[in-house]
Structures are given as structure tokens and as C-alpha cells.
Amino acid sequence: MHFQLSEEHQMMQNMLKEFAENECGPSAAQRDEDESFDMGIWHKMTELGICGIPWPEKYGGAGADYLSYVIAVEELSRVDASIGVTLSAHTSLAGWPVYKFGTEEQKQKYLRAMATGKSMGAYCLTEPGSGSDAAGMKTTAALEGDEWVLSGSKIFITNGGYADIFIVFAQTNPELLHKGIAAFIVEKSFPGFSVGKKEKKLGIRSSSTTEVIFDGCRVPKENLLGKVGEGFKIAMMTLDGGRNGIAAQALGIAQGALDHATAYAKQRVQFGKPISKLQAIQFKLADMATKIEAARLLTYQAAWREDQGVSYGLQSAMSKLFASDIAMEVTVEAVQVFGGYGYTREYPVERFMRDAKITQIYEGTNEIQRLVISGYLLKD
Ligand code: CAA
């Protein structure tokens, strides 16, 4: 067992660190203030070749592994968590189910478009009446001739305003409960599809979160993903990996907050010396760093397991639970290190604190992660 990142992983880390600091950092506060997403940054991510990190080159991907992907999300989130989640939702929620369940034609058409960054992806599960109880969805799909007709709406869709390809879950037969759910690949140009209300949020304000509406949306039969009745399993299996992307986002947020707090503590003088000389601050920084390192080990381990082809659902739920909780703790402490200045928008730590909160909520609340984890522990 060894814990050293390979040369390739270190290269990915360095490339993303430089990209995040130079291309995302300077405008992050302004984009947060304006609640605006910048497609220019997406185009640069496309040029960098990071929109399909774990997908094979034959589908337009980088042919790298899941560990490389989580390192990328971590490094982006260290500077701007909105960019981190944009890549995470695009890769592990929209790309993954097409890679795992798509036909060769679907992969060549849709995975390739997403992997090259030509199209952005989104994942549509949550509805106004079904969040944690994902199987309780009301959006319906009915087969009419050669087309599926989708009716209903989905909310809190990450990348909703900019995505071209939507992975949508809908009920084909309510009597069958979760066994009636099917998954579809929907293009934004399909008749009856529209983007609804844009959410105004506490954090990750420069990522796009919208409602999407299916008003008798017509989807060609060949855009069914997997089989009818497999949709719920596809949704859950997708989240198994997606949750580790959120762990990586939370990890990046926490590391970014610690970096700022450490630098500030060294230059802020009180009582005639830098506050970094005070044990009260030293202990805070030590606790923050220790929790971050533990979260990193869990997150990298879950990605490594996926790369090894062994089960990772349990480890992913654990990494998401732990990393998001410590991101919240660490960012609150970072604001504390900054004192009154930390509470202002002059410094980035208040943004990190606001951004951290969602990681405890989306891709399954942390209460749901505990259900998933205890389910593994207690199963016969
Ligand atoms: N892999 C494969 N199959 C799975 C599975 C998994 N991880 N989890 C459940 N299943 C299967 C079960 O084996 C079962 O199959 P059978 O019927 O064949 O036995 C079936 O699915 C139903 O399982 P449950 O009875 O456990 O389902 P449930 O209705 O009780 O729900 C739940 C389980 C864990 C609570 C699930 O609903 C859940 O994860 N809820 C949270 C939803 C969520 O995470 N939403 C996030 C939205 S996306 C998002 O947030 C993105 C973003 O913005 C960035």
C-alpha cells in the first residue's frame, strides 16, 4: 500500500491548480456577486481537455482515471466551488450513466459530445415533491409510436441553464413504483423541453441551478437509456460515483479555506505579533488540516476503488458525508481566524463558508448518506 500520487496524477494536480488560480480565481468573487456563470471558463476547460477525464479516448475523453477526475474537481473547488460542481455534475452525473448504460451509438453521439466539452451535461432526478424520496417522482413518460412523451418538471438542476444534454428519469407506470422508472437522454432542442426558473442561492452562486420543464416533450425511442424499469437503479448507481465528486468539491472548499486562513494568520498582527504565534490559532489550523487530510484519504480511496473495479458505493457515501461535514466546520473556523474581516466580502472565506453548505445537502443529504452507510452495515 502506498499513498504517493503517480506522476500523471501530480501533473493533473499541477495543471488544474494553475488553471484554477489563473483562469477561475481572479473573477470568482465577481461571478459570485453577479450570480453568473461564465461560458468562457467552460470553453477554456474544453481546451484543457478536462471535460471527459475518465472516458476512453475513443469517446473523446482523456482516457485517464477517476482519481484524476476527483483531483481535478478538488483543485477547481479550492478556488471556485461553482466551477468544481459544474465539472462534477457534467462528468459523473451526466457522462457516467451514458458510459455505463448507453448503446454504442449513444456513446458515440452523446458521450463524445460531453467528453469533448462541445455539449454540457446535466442530471434530472429531483422534483418539487420528491427530493430524498427519489422514487416518488411524478414526471411521466408514455410511449407514442416511435417517441416517448415526457410530462412534468424537475428542480434544482445543476448546469440547467447551460447544458445541452439532460439525463432525465421519469415514471412509465406508477403502479410499479421504482420498477416503472426509466432513464432518457434528452437534448435541449427537443420539442416540449424548456428551462424554467433560475434559483437564487446562498452559495455556489455562479453555478447554474434551474428548473427544467417537460411539456409533452418528445424524445426519440432510441434515446431511452438502459431498459424500461432500470431507471431507478441507473439513478442510484450514478449517484454512487457522483457523491465522491461532491466529496472532492467539499475537500477543495475546505483546503481553499485553510490556505487563506493560514496565510492570513501569518500576516495579521495583534498583541504585537502575528496571530499565527498564538496557540488558539495554531490549534485551529492543526485541527482543520487534520480533518482535511482524513477527508482526502476517504475521497481518493473511493476513487481508487472505482478505478480498481471494486465496489465503491459505501466508500463514496462515507467520503461525501465526512468531507462535506468537515468542509462546513473548516470554513466556519476559517471565518473565525479572519475575525470581523472574514465576515465581509473583502475576503474569500465567507464565500467558501456559503459554498460549503450545499455539499451537505445535494447528491443526497447527509442524513441519506447515513441511511446508505447503515444499509451496507446491516444487510444480511
Ligand atoms: N445501486 C444499485 N441499486 C440500488 C442502489 C444502488 N446504489 N440503491 C438502491 N438500489 C435498488 C435496490 O436494490 C432496490 O432494488 P430492488 O427493487 O430490485 O430490490 C431498489 O433500488 C429500491 O431501493 P430502496 O428500497 O433502497 O429505495 P428507496 O426508495 O428506499 O430509496 C434512497 C433509497 C437511498 C433513500 C434513495 O431514494 C436516495 O438515494 N435518495 C436521495 C436522492 C438523491 O441523492 N438525490 C440527489 C439529486 S441529484 C443532485 O443533487 C445533483 C446536484 O445538484 C449536483
Side-chain angles (χ1 to χ4, degrees):
M1 211 175 186
H2 69 97
F3 294 94
Q4 182 68 31
L5 288 183
S6 69
E7 212 171 295
E8 289 76 36
H9 294 127
Q10 286 177 40
M11 272 166 61
M12 176 65 77
Q13 196 176 46
N14 292 336
M15 179 175 85
L16 267 292
K17 206 184 287 279
E18 200 181 309
F19 176 80
E21 278 165 14
N22 297 336
E23 305 292 345
C24 310
S27 56
Q30 194 59 50
R31 282 182 284 107
D32 171 67
E33 193 73 34
D34 300 343
E35 302 185 43
S36 67
F37 181 73
D38 181 358
M39 271 308 271
I41 292 181
W42 177 257
H43 292 316
K44 286 179 185 161
M45 287 160 72
T46 299
E47 284 163 19
L48 206 60
I50 59 167
C51 295
I53 293 172
W55 315 136
E57 287 168 19
K58 68 173 177 166
Y59 301 124
D65 56 12
Y66 290 100
L67 182 54
S68 302
Y69 153 69
V70 302
I71 289 171
V73 174
E74 175 190 351
E75 289 304 325
L76 292 172
S77 305
R78 191 169 178 163
V79 171
D80 185 347
S82 293
I83 303 289
V85 75
T86 300
L87 183 68
S88 181
H90 167 81
T91 308
S92 48
L93 293 186
W96 191 90
V98 179
Y99 179 54
K100 287 292 167 187
F101 296 97
T103 61
E104 190 55 28
E105 290 72 29
Q106 288 172 338
K107 288 184 211 177
Q108 284 301 345
K109 185 171 179 185
Y110 293 111
L111 187 60
R112 173 173 286 282
M114 288 191 275
T116 55
K118 186 170 158 275
S119 300
M120 193 189 289
Y123 172 91
C124 305
L125 181 68
T126 304
E127 297 185 0
S130 62
S132 291
D133 180 13
M137 66 182 67
K138 294 280 178 272
T139 296
T140 56
L143 191 58
E144 286 183 16
D146 281 345
E147 291 175 326
W148 285 94
V149 179
L150 270 55
S151 303
S153 71
K154 300 279 177 179
I155 56 165
F156 304 152
I157 304 308
T158 300
N159 298 344
Y162 295 87
D164 310 278
I165 297 168
F166 295 77
I167 307 303
V168 182
F169 300 91
Q171 181 55 268
T172 64
N173 182 349
E175 282 175 17
L176 296 178
L177 305 173
H178 70 270
K179 289 189 188 317
I181 294 170
F184 301 89
I185 306 173
V186 178
E187 294 180 34
K188 72 170 179 194
S189 58
F190 286 173
F193 175 90
S194 63
V195 175
K197 180 180 149 227
K198 177 186 170 203
E199 298 297 341
K200 292 180 79 65
K201 311 190 293 283
L202 172 74
I204 55 160
R205 286 155 53 115
S206 73
S207 83
S208 167
T209 309
T210 70
E211 177 189 24
V212 296
I213 301 162
F214 307 94
D215 183 10
C217 175
R218 305 195 83 83
V219 178
K221 217 163 119 181
E222 61 270 19
N223 279 33
L224 175 72
L225 182 61
K227 297 194 183 87
V228 173
E230 275 184 357
F232 191 69
K233 282 204 173 157
I234 295 175
M236 292 297 112
M237 289 173 75
T238 302
L239 286 168
D240 278 344
R243 286 168 179 158
N244 203 39
I246 299 307
Q249 186 203 18
L251 175 60
I253 294 171
Q255 184 65 58
L258 174 63
D259 294 345
H260 286 291
T262 308
Y264 183 78
K266 284 196 215 164
Q267 55 95 11
R268 171 70 171 165
V269 175
Q270 290 290 279
F271 307 108
K273 55 187 173 194
I275 61 170
S276 60
K277 301 282 182 210
L278 303 172
Q279 202 176 55
I281 300 297
Q282 292 168 351
F283 280 17
K284 272 193 202 309
L285 298 177
D287 284 346
M288 289 155 86
T290 305
K291 287 171 185 169
I292 291 170
E293 201 49 33
R296 182 169 289 116
L297 290 173
L298 275 176
T299 307
Y300 286 11
Q301 185 208 194
W304 176 84
R305 289 184 69 94
E306 187 165 6
D307 287 324
Q308 299 308 306
V310 295
S311 66
Y312 57 88
L314 170 63
Q315 289 74 16
S316 231
M318 287 176 167
S319 66
K320 195 275 195 195
L321 169 65
F322 187 78
S324 61
D325 278 352
I326 71 101
M328 201 64 247
E329 285 175 40
V330 166
T331 54
V332 167
E333 285 295 72
V335 170
Q336 194 70 17
V337 171
F338 274 75
Y341 289 112
Y343 200 66
T344 71
R345 294 194 195 175
E346 287 294 304
Y347 290 94
V349 283
E350 62 83 31
R351 171 165 59 87
F352 282 78
M353 189 180 105
R354 288 186 286 105
D355 287 351
K357 184 60 203 166
I358 191 61
T359 64
Q360 296 180 307
I361 299 172
Y362 59 18
E363 296 208 29
T365 62
N366 282 1
E367 290 71 21
I368 291 295
Q369 306 311 317
R370 289 183 173 91
L371 269 184
V372 170
I373 294 164
S374 57
Y376 276 97
L377 297 179
L378 299 170
K379 88 175 160 211
D380 295 327

